[in-house]
Amino acid sequence: MRENPRLQAVQAVRQELATLGIDPFGVQIDRILSPTEGLIHGRRTILAGTNNYLGLTFDPGTIAAAREALEAAGTGTTGSRMANGSYAGHRELEVDLAAFYGKRDAIVFSTGYQANLGMISALVGTGDVVMIDADSHASIYDGCRLSGANVIRFRHNDAADLAKRMRRLGDDAANALIVVEGVYSMLGDRAPLRDFARVKREFGATLMVDEAHSMGVLGSKGRGLADEQGVLADVDYVVGTFSKSLGNTGGFCVSDSPDLDVLRYASRPYVFTASLPPATIAATRQALRTLSAADDLRLRLQNNAERLHAGLGALGFRLGAPANAVVAVLVGDKLEALRFWDHLLKHGVYVNLMVPPATPGGESLLRCSVSAAHTPEQIDAICAAFASWTGAKA
Ligand code: PMP
C-alpha cells in the first residue's frame, strides 16, 4: 500500500530522533514498582513525570474498592450510557463530585480530554463565540474545533486582553463562553481567576475552568484554584480529570446549571463512547474521599515542590513558575533538551520532555511533576541528576 504522506512527515521526525538513539515519546516502563518508581531499561528509575500528584495509584483502599467492583460488576460496561444504560456507580460518582464542589450537579465523561470536548462542543456552536487562553490544552482547542464556534484567543493569563476582546463583541459578549485552566500543565503557572471572574461578571458571560492540574493540589479539601482564589461560585463549569490527583482515568464537569443533564443528549463525546468501567468508578469514588481528606498529602506535596524548586533554582536552572506540583526547567534548544532528557533517564530519573508546538513561547522544557509520595531523598536524587548534566556538559 502507498505510504501516507502525512504520516511520513511524522516518521521523518521520529527517524531524526532515532539516529541520536533517543526515543523520548516511546518510553516503556517495564514494571511499575510504586507511585514514584519504575523499572526502565532494567534500571530502577524515579518517576518525576507522572501527574500522580497525591501518589494515590497504589492506595490500598482504592485498590480494594476497584477489586470489589471488578468482582461484583465485571470488567467493562461495553457501551455508552445513552444506548446501554448507566450503572448505579456512574450516578453515585456524579453525586459525589457535585457534593465535593458544592455544585448542583455533575456529569462524568470517559476521559478528561472528552470532558473538554464534550462540554465545549455542546455549550457553543456555529455562530457563537468561545474565548480561550492562547496556551490552552489540546482538548480545549479540539473541543472548540468540534463545536464549530468562532474561536478567539486572548493572551495567556491576561484578563485585560480578554476584556478588550470581549468589548469588541458588543452585545454578543454576554453569550460568549470563556475557557481557562487553573494551573497550566507545561509551566505550572496559575491563572488569575479572580480577574477572569471579574471580566465574566462585567460582560455577563459564561466561565469554564479546567482544574486538571489543581484538583487535589490546591484549595480547601483540594477543590482547586478557583476555590483557593475564592471564585468557585463565579465558575459556571468546572472541568476536571480523574487521571492526575485521583490516580485513575476519566473526566467530569460540575455546575449549578440546570442544563447539565440535557448535555447527556447533546454532547457527542458523551453519547458516542463507552462509559467508564465499574472498577474505575469505584476506585475514583474512593480516591475522591481520600483526596478530600488529604491535607497531609497536600502539605507533603507542597514541601516536595519547594524542595525541588529550591534545589533546581540553586543549580542555576531557569524555572517556569513559583514552586508548584509542576516544576518546569526551561532549556530552550530542542536538541539540548533531548540530550538532557536522555541524560536524566540514564541517571535514573524520568521526566517529561516537552517541545514546541506543545510548549508556550516555542521553548523546549523538561517538566517534572512532583508527588506527595516522593521522599525527600528522591527529590534530592532528582536534583543530583540535574546537577550531573551541568557537569557532563562542561
Ligand atoms: N486538561 C488538561 C489541562 C490536561 O493537562 C489534560 C491532560 N494532560 C487533560 C485535560 C486531559 O485529561 P485526560 O488525561 O483525563 O484525558
Side-chain angles (χ1 to χ4, degrees):
M1 204 166 87
R2 197 172 68 87
E3 286 175 338
N4 181 305
R6 283 182 188 278
L7 295 180
Q8 282 313 297
V10 178
Q11 179 63 354
V13 176
R14 274 188 74 195
Q15 257 153 9
E16 185 191 333
L17 296 177
T19 55
L20 297 166
I22 305 172
D23 186 9
F25 308 116
V27 171
Q28 177 171 308
I29 301 168
D30 293 323
R31 194 145 57 86
I32 187 90
L33 303 169
S34 76
T36 60
E37 276 192 309
L39 216 55
I40 301 177
H41 301 320
R43 190 182 294 115
R44 223 182 157 91
T45 303
I46 298 172
L47 303 176
T50 61
N51 305 316
N52 198 354
Y53 299 131
L54 297 181
L56 293 185
T57 46
F58 282 79
D59 179 66
T62 304
I63 290 175
R67 189 173 285 141
E68 203 177 302
L70 183 63
E71 299 280 355
T75 52
T77 62
T78 68
S80 97
R81 289 172 68 182
M82 277 283 113
N84 304 55
S86 293
Y87 287 17
H90 291 120
R91 189 60 199 146
E92 285 160 1
L93 177 56
E94 289 170 346
V95 170
D96 291 351
L97 284 162
F100 174 66
Y101 281 98
K103 296 279 189 188
R104 185 177 184 274
D105 204 359
I107 179 169
V108 162
F109 292 86
S110 298
T111 66
Y113 177 88
Q114 282 167 292
N116 275 327
L117 228 56
M119 289 306 302
I120 298 170
S121 65
L123 291 174
V124 289
T126 311
D128 297 328
V129 173
V130 54
M131 315 286 292
I132 64 169
D133 186 289
D135 286 0
S136 289
H137 187 260
S139 55
I140 293 173
Y141 274 98
D142 292 356
C144 290
R145 214 183 287 179
L146 186 63
S147 76
N150 178 18
V151 184
I152 299 176
R153 297 188 315 163
F154 55 89
R155 271 206 300 273
H156 176 53
N157 274 352
D158 191 337
D161 191 48
L162 169 66
K164 188 177 81 186
R165 289 165 197 275
M166 290 288 282
R167 219 162 284 129
R168 283 188 198 144
L169 294 178
D171 291 345
D172 289 343
N175 296 322
L177 173 68
I178 302 166
V179 184
V180 297
E181 297 173 30
V183 169
Y184 281 80
S185 61
M186 292 292 115
L187 299 180
D189 51 333
R190 299 174 184 207
L193 292 183
R194 252 184 241 131
D195 298 339
F196 286 136
R198 206 173 302 126
V199 175
K200 169 232 144 132
R201 281 196 305 268
E202 181 187 339
F203 292 92
T206 303
L207 177 62
M208 176 187 289
V209 179
D210 180 348
E211 295 267 29
H213 295 274
S214 27
M215 183 192 197
V217 177
L218 302 175
S220 159
K221 298 188 174 179
R223 274 191 289 249
L225 187 68
D227 180 84
E228 185 178 282
Q229 295 193 359
V231 291
L232 193 51
D234 287 305
V235 181
D236 300 290
Y237 299 96
V238 177
V239 171
T241 174
F242 306 155
S243 75
K244 306 192 191 301
S245 285
L246 289 165
N248 217 304
T249 294
F252 70 90
C253 175
V254 294
S255 177
D256 282 327
S257 166
D259 291 340
L260 204 60
D261 201 45
V262 184
L263 242 113
R264 298 183 198 278
Y265 304 83
S267 174
R268 296 172 69 84
Y270 177 88
V271 175
F272 294 105
T273 200
S275 61
L276 290 169
T280 296
I281 291 288
T284 304
R285 289 191 73 200
Q286 178 56 39
L288 184 61
R289 267 178 237 129
T290 306
L291 175 151
S292 66
D295 286 345
D296 54 336
L297 296 182
R298 276 182 279 285
L299 183 62
R300 221 179 293 167
L301 173 59
Q302 187 57 26
N303 288 340
N304 282 343
E306 281 167 18
R307 193 179 184 96
L308 182 64
H309 195 272
L312 295 177
L315 291 168
F317 290 112
R318 267 192 311 137
L319 304 176
N324 211 319
V326 177
V327 177
V329 174
L330 303 168
V331 180
D333 179 66
K334 190 160 116 184
L335 197 59
E336 175 164 357
L338 193 65
R339 294 214 163 95
F340 196 165
W341 175 88
D342 188 52
H343 173 90
L344 292 174
L345 193 61
K346 286 184 173 132
H347 286 75
V349 174
Y350 173 72
V351 302
N352 309 124
L353 173 69
M354 299 295 182
V355 292
T359 51
E363 285 229 52
S364 293
L365 54 93
L366 299 170
R367 175 189 182 275
C368 307
S369 45
V370 183
S371 174
H374 282 127
T375 62
E377 292 73 26
Q378 285 177 319
I379 299 292
D380 293 347
I382 297 168
C383 290
F386 273 87
S388 70
W389 166 252
T390 313
K393 242 187 17 159

mmCIF file with all atom_site columns, all heavy atoms in Angstrom, residues 260-278:
data_model
loop_
_atom_site.group_PDB
_atom_site.id
_atom_site.type_symbol
_atom_site.label_atom_id
_atom_site.label_alt_id
_atom_site.label_comp_id
_atom_site.label_asym_id
_atom_site.label_entity_id
_atom_site.label_seq_id
_atom_site.pdbx_PDB_ins_code
_atom_site.Cartn_x
_atom_site.Cartn_y
_atom_site.Cartn_z
_atom_site.occupancy
_atom_site.B_iso_or_equiv
_atom_site.pdbx_formal_charge
_atom_site.auth_seq_id
_atom_site.auth_comp_id
_atom_site.auth_asym_id
_atom_site.auth_atom_id
_atom_site.pdbx_PDB_model_num
ATOM 1   N N   . LEU A 1 260 ? -27.180 20.933 32.743 1.00 0.00 ? 260 LEU A N   1
ATOM 2   C CA  . LEU A 1 260 ? -26.123 19.921 32.678 1.00 0.00 ? 260 LEU A CA  1
ATOM 3   C C   . LEU A 1 260 ? -26.697 18.554 32.268 1.00 0.00 ? 260 LEU A C   1
ATOM 4   O O   . LEU A 1 260 ? -26.082 17.818 31.499 1.00 0.00 ? 260 LEU A O   1
ATOM 5   C CB  . LEU A 1 260 ? -25.422 19.817 34.044 1.00 0.00 ? 260 LEU A CB  1
ATOM 6   C CG  . LEU A 1 260 ? -24.000 19.278 33.993 1.00 0.00 ? 260 LEU A CG  1
ATOM 7   C CD1 . LEU A 1 260 ? -23.099 20.148 33.143 1.00 0.00 ? 260 LEU A CD1 1
ATOM 8   C CD2 . LEU A 1 260 ? -23.414 19.148 35.396 1.00 0.00 ? 260 LEU A CD2 1
ATOM 9   N N   . ASP A 1 261 ? -27.891 18.247 32.754 1.00 0.00 ? 261 ASP A N   1
ATOM 10  C CA  . ASP A 1 261 ? -28.492 16.949 32.440 1.00 0.00 ? 261 ASP A CA  1
ATOM 11  C C   . ASP A 1 261 ? -28.844 16.835 30.949 1.00 0.00 ? 261 ASP A C   1
ATOM 12  O O   . ASP A 1 261 ? -28.767 15.753 30.371 1.00 0.00 ? 261 ASP A O   1
ATOM 13  C CB  . ASP A 1 261 ? -29.739 16.752 33.312 1.00 0.00 ? 261 ASP A CB  1
ATOM 14  C CG  . ASP A 1 261 ? -30.100 15.290 33.424 1.00 0.00 ? 261 ASP A CG  1
ATOM 15  O OD1 . ASP A 1 261 ? -29.186 14.466 33.640 1.00 0.00 ? 261 ASP A OD1 1
ATOM 16  O OD2 . ASP A 1 261 ? -31.290 14.963 33.242 1.00 0.00 ? 261 ASP A OD2 1
ATOM 17  N N   . VAL A 1 262 ? -29.202 17.975 30.349 1.00 0.00 ? 262 VAL A N   1
ATOM 18  C CA  . VAL A 1 262 ? -29.571 17.986 28.922 1.00 0.00 ? 262 VAL A CA  1
ATOM 19  C C   . VAL A 1 262 ? -28.364 17.635 28.061 1.00 0.00 ? 262 VAL A C   1
ATOM 20  O O   . VAL A 1 262 ? -28.493 17.051 26.985 1.00 0.00 ? 262 VAL A O   1
ATOM 21  C CB  . VAL A 1 262 ? -30.123 19.381 28.512 1.00 0.00 ? 262 VAL A CB  1
ATOM 22  C CG1 . VAL A 1 262 ? -30.593 19.387 27.063 1.00 0.00 ? 262 VAL A CG1 1
ATOM 23  C CG2 . VAL A 1 262 ? -31.247 19.795 29.433 1.00 0.00 ? 262 VAL A CG2 1
ATOM 24  N N   . LEU A 1 263 ? -27.190 17.984 28.593 1.00 0.00 ? 263 LEU A N   1
ATOM 25  C CA  . LEU A 1 263 ? -25.948 17.704 27.878 1.00 0.00 ? 263 LEU A CA  1
ATOM 26  C C   . LEU A 1 263 ? -25.804 16.221 27.527 1.00 0.00 ? 263 LEU A C   1
ATOM 27  O O   . LEU A 1 263 ? -25.156 15.853 26.556 1.00 0.00 ? 263 LEU A O   1
ATOM 28  C CB  . LEU A 1 263 ? -24.778 18.114 28.760 1.00 0.00 ? 263 LEU A CB  1
ATOM 29  C CG  . LEU A 1 263 ? -23.926 19.210 28.174 1.00 0.00 ? 263 LEU A CG  1
ATOM 30  C CD1 . LEU A 1 263 ? -24.050 20.456 28.992 1.00 0.00 ? 263 LEU A CD1 1
ATOM 31  C CD2 . LEU A 1 263 ? -22.519 18.735 28.126 1.00 0.00 ? 263 LEU A CD2 1
ATOM 32  N N   . ARG A 1 264 ? -26.375 15.393 28.359 1.00 0.00 ? 264 ARG A N   1
ATOM 33  C CA  . ARG A 1 264 ? -26.275 13.940 28.117 1.00 0.00 ? 264 ARG A CA  1
ATOM 34  C C   . ARG A 1 264 ? -26.864 13.554 26.760 1.00 0.00 ? 264 ARG A C   1
ATOM 35  O O   . ARG A 1 264 ? -26.549 12.511 26.215 1.00 0.00 ? 264 ARG A O   1
ATOM 36  C CB  . ARG A 1 264 ? -27.005 13.169 29.226 1.00 0.00 ? 264 ARG A CB  1
ATOM 37  C CG  . ARG A 1 264 ? -26.425 13.401 30.599 1.00 0.00 ? 264 ARG A CG  1
ATOM 38  C CD  . ARG A 1 264 ? -27.141 12.562 31.648 1.00 0.00 ? 264 ARG A CD  1
ATOM 39  N NE  . ARG A 1 264 ? -26.887 13.101 32.972 1.00 0.00 ? 264 ARG A NE  1
ATOM 40  C CZ  . ARG A 1 264 ? -25.790 12.862 33.688 1.00 0.00 ? 264 ARG A CZ  1
ATOM 41  N NH1 . ARG A 1 264 ? -24.866 12.077 33.215 1.00 0.00 ? 264 ARG A NH1 1
ATOM 42  N NH2 . ARG A 1 264 ? -25.631 13.405 34.875 1.00 0.00 ? 264 ARG A NH2 1
ATOM 43  N N   . TYR A 1 265 ? -27.775 14.394 26.245 1.00 0.00 ? 265 TYR A N   1
ATOM 44  C CA  . TYR A 1 265 ? -28.417 14.111 24.966 1.00 0.00 ? 265 TYR A CA  1
ATOM 45  C C   . TYR A 1 265 ? -27.767 14.894 23.831 1.00 0.00 ? 265 TYR A C   1
ATOM 46  O O   . TYR A 1 265 ? -28.033 14.629 22.673 1.00 0.00 ? 265 TYR A O   1
ATOM 47  C CB  . TYR A 1 265 ? -29.917 14.470 25.044 1.00 0.00 ? 265 TYR A CB  1
ATOM 48  C CG  . TYR A 1 265 ? -30.628 13.751 26.165 1.00 0.00 ? 265 TYR A CG  1
ATOM 49  C CD1 . TYR A 1 265 ? -30.592 14.245 27.467 1.00 0.00 ? 265 TYR A CD1 1
ATOM 50  C CD2 . TYR A 1 265 ? -31.305 12.554 25.927 1.00 0.00 ? 265 TYR A CD2 1
ATOM 51  C CE1 . TYR A 1 265 ? -31.215 13.588 28.508 1.00 0.00 ? 265 TYR A CE1 1
ATOM 52  C CE2 . TYR A 1 265 ? -31.925 11.882 26.966 1.00 0.00 ? 265 TYR A CE2 1
ATOM 53  C CZ  . TYR A 1 265 ? -31.877 12.401 28.250 1.00 0.00 ? 265 TYR A CZ  1
ATOM 54  O OH  . TYR A 1 265 ? -32.483 11.741 29.277 1.00 0.00 ? 265 TYR A OH  1
ATOM 55  N N   . ALA A 1 266 ? -26.942 15.897 24.205 1.00 0.00 ? 266 ALA A N   1
ATOM 56  C CA  . ALA A 1 266 ? -26.441 16.829 23.191 1.00 0.00 ? 266 ALA A CA  1
ATOM 57  C C   . ALA A 1 266 ? -24.940 16.718 22.961 1.00 0.00 ? 266 ALA A C   1
ATOM 58  O O   . ALA A 1 266 ? -24.428 17.270 21.991 1.00 0.00 ? 266 ALA A O   1
ATOM 59  C CB  . ALA A 1 266 ? -26.774 18.256 23.609 1.00 0.00 ? 266 ALA A CB  1
ATOM 60  N N   . SER A 1 267 ? -24.240 16.003 23.832 1.00 0.00 ? 267 SER A N   1
ATOM 61  C CA  . SER A 1 267 ? -22.784 16.014 23.764 1.00 0.00 ? 267 SER A CA  1
ATOM 62  C C   . SER A 1 267 ? -22.272 14.726 23.126 1.00 0.00 ? 267 SER A C   1
ATOM 63  O O   . SER A 1 267 ? -22.349 13.643 23.713 1.00 0.00 ? 267 SER A O   1
ATOM 64  C CB  . SER A 1 267 ? -22.236 16.150 25.193 1.00 0.00 ? 267 SER A CB  1
ATOM 65  O OG  . SER A 1 267 ? -20.849 16.032 25.166 1.00 0.00 ? 267 SER A OG  1
ATOM 66  N N   . ARG A 1 268 ? -21.756 14.872 21.924 1.00 0.00 ? 268 ARG A N   1
ATOM 67  C CA  . ARG A 1 268 ? -21.343 13.671 21.175 1.00 0.00 ? 268 ARG A CA  1
ATOM 68  C C   . ARG A 1 268 ? -20.258 12.863 21.903 1.00 0.00 ? 268 ARG A C   1
ATOM 69  O O   . ARG A 1 268 ? -20.314 11.639 21.931 1.00 0.00 ? 268 ARG A O   1
ATOM 70  C CB  . ARG A 1 268 ? -20.880 14.068 19.768 1.00 0.00 ? 268 ARG A CB  1
ATOM 71  C CG  . ARG A 1 268 ? -21.999 14.664 18.923 1.00 0.00 ? 268 ARG A CG  1
ATOM 72  C CD  . ARG A 1 268 ? -21.487 15.231 17.609 1.00 0.00 ? 268 ARG A CD  1
ATOM 73  N NE  . ARG A 1 268 ? -21.028 14.200 16.697 1.00 0.00 ? 268 ARG A NE  1
ATOM 74  C CZ  . ARG A 1 268 ? -21.826 13.517 15.888 1.00 0.00 ? 268 ARG A CZ  1
ATOM 75  N NH1 . ARG A 1 268 ? -23.124 13.759 15.870 1.00 0.00 ? 268 ARG A NH1 1
ATOM 76  N NH2 . ARG A 1 268 ? -21.335 12.591 15.092 1.00 0.00 ? 268 ARG A NH2 1
ATOM 77  N N   . PRO A 1 269 ? -19.255 13.523 22.502 1.00 0.00 ? 269 PRO A N   1
ATOM 78  C CA  . PRO A 1 269 ? -18.226 12.740 23.216 1.00 0.00 ? 269 PRO A CA  1
ATOM 79  C C   . PRO A 1 269 ? -18.768 12.047 24.469 1.00 0.00 ? 269 PRO A C   1
ATOM 80  O O   . PRO A 1 269 ? -18.086 11.209 25.063 1.00 0.00 ? 269 PRO A O   1
ATOM 81  C CB  . PRO A 1 269 ? -17.180 13.797 23.585 1.00 0.00 ? 269 PRO A CB  1
ATOM 82  C CG  . PRO A 1 269 ? -17.379 14.884 22.581 1.00 0.00 ? 269 PRO A CG  1
ATOM 83  C CD  . PRO A 1 269 ? -18.862 14.930 22.378 1.00 0.00 ? 269 PRO A CD  1
ATOM 84  N N   . TYR A 1 270 ? -19.978 12.408 24.895 1.00 0.00 ? 270 TYR A N   1
ATOM 85  C CA  . TYR A 1 270 ? -20.638 11.684 25.982 1.00 0.00 ? 270 TYR A CA  1
ATOM 86  C C   . TYR A 1 270 ? -21.481 10.537 25.407 1.00 0.00 ? 270 TYR A C   1
ATOM 87  O O   . TYR A 1 270 ? -21.448 9.420  25.918 1.00 0.00 ? 270 TYR A O   1
ATOM 88  C CB  . TYR A 1 270 ? -21.535 12.651 26.770 1.00 0.00 ? 270 TYR A CB  1
ATOM 89  C CG  . TYR A 1 270 ? -22.324 11.983 27.884 1.00 0.00 ? 270 TYR A CG  1
ATOM 90  C CD1 . TYR A 1 270 ? -21.770 11.845 29.153 1.00 0.00 ? 270 TYR A CD1 1
ATOM 91  C CD2 . TYR A 1 270 ? -23.612 11.497 27.668 1.00 0.00 ? 270 TYR A CD2 1
ATOM 92  C CE1 . TYR A 1 270 ? -22.479 11.230 30.181 1.00 0.00 ? 270 TYR A CE1 1
ATOM 93  C CE2 . TYR A 1 270 ? -24.324 10.880 28.675 1.00 0.00 ? 270 TYR A CE2 1
ATOM 94  C CZ  . TYR A 1 270 ? -23.759 10.743 29.930 1.00 0.00 ? 270 TYR A CZ  1
ATOM 95  O OH  . TYR A 1 270 ? -24.455 10.125 30.938 1.00 0.00 ? 270 TYR A OH  1
ATOM 96  N N   . VAL A 1 271 ? -22.200 10.831 24.335 1.00 0.00 ? 271 VAL A N   1
ATOM 97  C CA  . VAL A 1 271 ? -23.173 9.872  23.789 1.00 0.00 ? 271 VAL A CA  1
ATOM 98  C C   . VAL A 1 271 ? -22.496 8.697  23.080 1.00 0.00 ? 271 VAL A C   1
ATOM 99  O O   . VAL A 1 271 ? -22.895 7.545  23.264 1.00 0.00 ? 271 VAL A O   1
ATOM 100 C CB  . VAL A 1 271 ? -24.132 10.585 22.798 1.00 0.00 ? 271 VAL A CB  1
ATOM 101 C CG1 . VAL A 1 271 ? -25.063 9.580  22.123 1.00 0.00 ? 271 VAL A CG1 1
ATOM 102 C CG2 . VAL A 1 271 ? -24.927 11.676 23.493 1.00 0.00 ? 271 VAL A CG2 1
ATOM 103 N N   . PHE A 1 272 ? -21.456 9.023  22.292 1.00 0.00 ? 272 PHE A N   1
ATOM 104 C CA  . PHE A 1 272 ? -20.943 8.014  21.362 1.00 0.00 ? 272 PHE A CA  1
ATOM 105 C C   . PHE A 1 272 ? -19.672 7.332  21.828 1.00 0.00 ? 272 PHE A C   1
ATOM 106 O O   . PHE A 1 272 ? -18.770 7.083  21.036 1.00 0.00 ? 272 PHE A O   1
ATOM 107 C CB  . PHE A 1 272 ? -20.746 8.647  19.976 1.00 0.00 ? 272 PHE A CB  1
ATOM 108 C CG  . PHE A 1 272 ? -22.039 9.071  19.337 1.00 0.00 ? 272 PHE A CG  1
ATOM 109 C CD1 . PHE A 1 272 ? -22.399 10.409 19.284 1.00 0.00 ? 272 PHE A CD1 1
ATOM 110 C CD2 . PHE A 1 272 ? -22.913 8.128  18.812 1.00 0.00 ? 272 PHE A CD2 1
ATOM 111 C CE1 . PHE A 1 272 ? -23.597 10.803 18.717 1.00 0.00 ? 272 PHE A CE1 1
ATOM 112 C CE2 . PHE A 1 272 ? -24.116 8.503  18.236 1.00 0.00 ? 272 PHE A CE2 1
ATOM 113 C CZ  . PHE A 1 272 ? -24.470 9.848  18.194 1.00 0.00 ? 272 PHE A CZ  1
ATOM 114 N N   . THR A 1 273 ? -19.586 7.036  23.111 1.00 0.00 ? 273 THR A N   1
ATOM 115 C CA  . THR A 1 273 ? -18.426 6.295  23.586 1.00 0.00 ? 273 THR A CA  1
ATOM 116 C C   . THR A 1 273 ? -18.816 5.465  24.800 1.00 0.00 ? 273 THR A C   1
ATOM 117 O O   . THR A 1 273 ? -19.800 5.769  25.481 1.00 0.00 ? 273 THR A O   1
ATOM 118 C CB  . THR A 1 273 ? -17.263 7.274  23.915 1.00 0.00 ? 273 THR A CB  1
ATOM 119 O OG1 . THR A 1 273 ? -16.039 6.546  23.928 1.00 0.00 ? 273 THR A OG1 1
ATOM 120 C CG2 . THR A 1 273 ? -17.453 7.955  25.249 1.00 0.00 ? 273 THR A CG2 1
ATOM 121 N N   . ALA A 1 274 ? -18.049 4.414  25.049 1.00 0.00 ? 274 ALA A N   1
ATOM 122 C CA  . ALA A 1 274 ? -18.388 3.533  26.179 1.00 0.00 ? 274 ALA A CA  1
ATOM 123 C C   . ALA A 1 274 ? -18.153 4.252  27.504 1.00 0.00 ? 274 ALA A C   1
ATOM 124 O O   . ALA A 1 274 ? -17.231 5.054  27.635 1.00 0.00 ? 274 ALA A O   1
ATOM 125 C CB  . ALA A 1 274 ? -17.551 2.269  26.118 1.00 0.00 ? 274 ALA A CB  1
ATOM 126 N N   . SER A 1 275 ? -19.004 3.947  28.471 1.00 0.00 ? 275 SER A N   1
ATOM 127 C CA  . SER A 1 275 ? -18.877 4.576  29.793 1.00 0.00 ? 275 SER A CA  1
ATOM 128 C C   . SER A 1 275 ? -17.762 3.907  30.586 1.00 0.00 ? 275 SER A C   1
ATOM 129 O O   . SER A 1 275 ? -17.282 2.820  30.246 1.00 0.00 ? 275 SER A O   1
ATOM 130 C CB  . SER A 1 275 ? -20.195 4.467  30.539 1.00 0.00 ? 275 SER A CB  1
ATOM 131 O OG  . SER A 1 275 ? -20.531 3.110  30.724 1.00 0.00 ? 275 SER A OG  1
ATOM 132 N N   . LEU A 1 276 ? -17.360 4.573  31.662 1.00 0.00 ? 276 LEU A N   1
ATOM 133 C CA  . LEU A 1 276 ? -16.245 4.070  32.481 1.00 0.00 ? 276 LEU A CA  1
ATOM 134 C C   . LEU A 1 276 ? -16.582 2.732  33.115 1.00 0.00 ? 276 LEU A C   1
ATOM 135 O O   . LEU A 1 276 ? -17.716 2.510  33.573 1.00 0.00 ? 276 LEU A O   1
ATOM 136 C CB  . LEU A 1 276 ? -15.922 5.089  33.574 1.00 0.00 ? 276 LEU A CB  1
ATOM 137 C CG  . LEU A 1 276 ? -15.274 6.381  33.085 1.00 0.00 ? 276 LEU A CG  1
ATOM 138 C CD1 . LEU A 1 276 ? -15.247 7.416  34.188 1.00 0.00 ? 276 LEU A CD1 1
ATOM 139 C CD2 . LEU A 1 276 ? -13.866 6.113  32.569 1.00 0.00 ? 276 LEU A CD2 1
ATOM 140 N N   . PRO A 1 277 ? -15.604 1.819  33.190 1.00 0.00 ? 277 PRO A N   1
ATOM 141 C CA  . PRO A 1 277 ? -15.851 0.506  33.788 1.00 0.00 ? 277 PRO A CA  1
ATOM 142 C C   . PRO A 1 277 ? -16.067 0.585  35.305 1.00 0.00 ? 277 PRO A C   1
ATOM 143 O O   . PRO A 1 277 ? -15.613 1.539  35.955 1.00 0.00 ? 277 PRO A O   1
ATOM 144 C CB  . PRO A 1 277 ? -14.583 -0.281 33.462 1.00 0.00 ? 277 PRO A CB  1
ATOM 145 C CG  . PRO A 1 277 ? -13.565 0.714  33.064 1.00 0.00 ? 277 PRO A CG  1
ATOM 146 C CD  . PRO A 1 277 ? -14.271 1.960  32.628 1.00 0.00 ? 277 PRO A CD  1
ATOM 147 N N   . PRO A 1 278 ? -16.750 -0.409 35.872 1.00 0.00 ? 278 PRO A N   1
ATOM 148 C CA  . PRO A 1 278 ? -17.108 -0.388 37.296 1.00 0.00 ? 278 PRO A CA  1
ATOM 149 C C   . PRO A 1 278 ? -15.911 -0.197 38.231 1.00 0.00 ? 278 PRO A C   1
ATOM 150 O O   . PRO A 1 278 ? -16.010 0.536  39.214 1.00 0.00 ? 278 PRO A O   1
ATOM 151 C CB  . PRO A 1 278 ? -17.752 -1.764 37.522 1.00 0.00 ? 278 PRO A CB  1
ATOM 152 C CG  . PRO A 1 278 ? -18.231 -2.185 36.181 1.00 0.00 ? 278 PRO A CG  1
ATOM 153 C CD  . PRO A 1 278 ? -17.300 -1.597 35.189 1.00 0.00 ? 278 PRO A CD  1
#
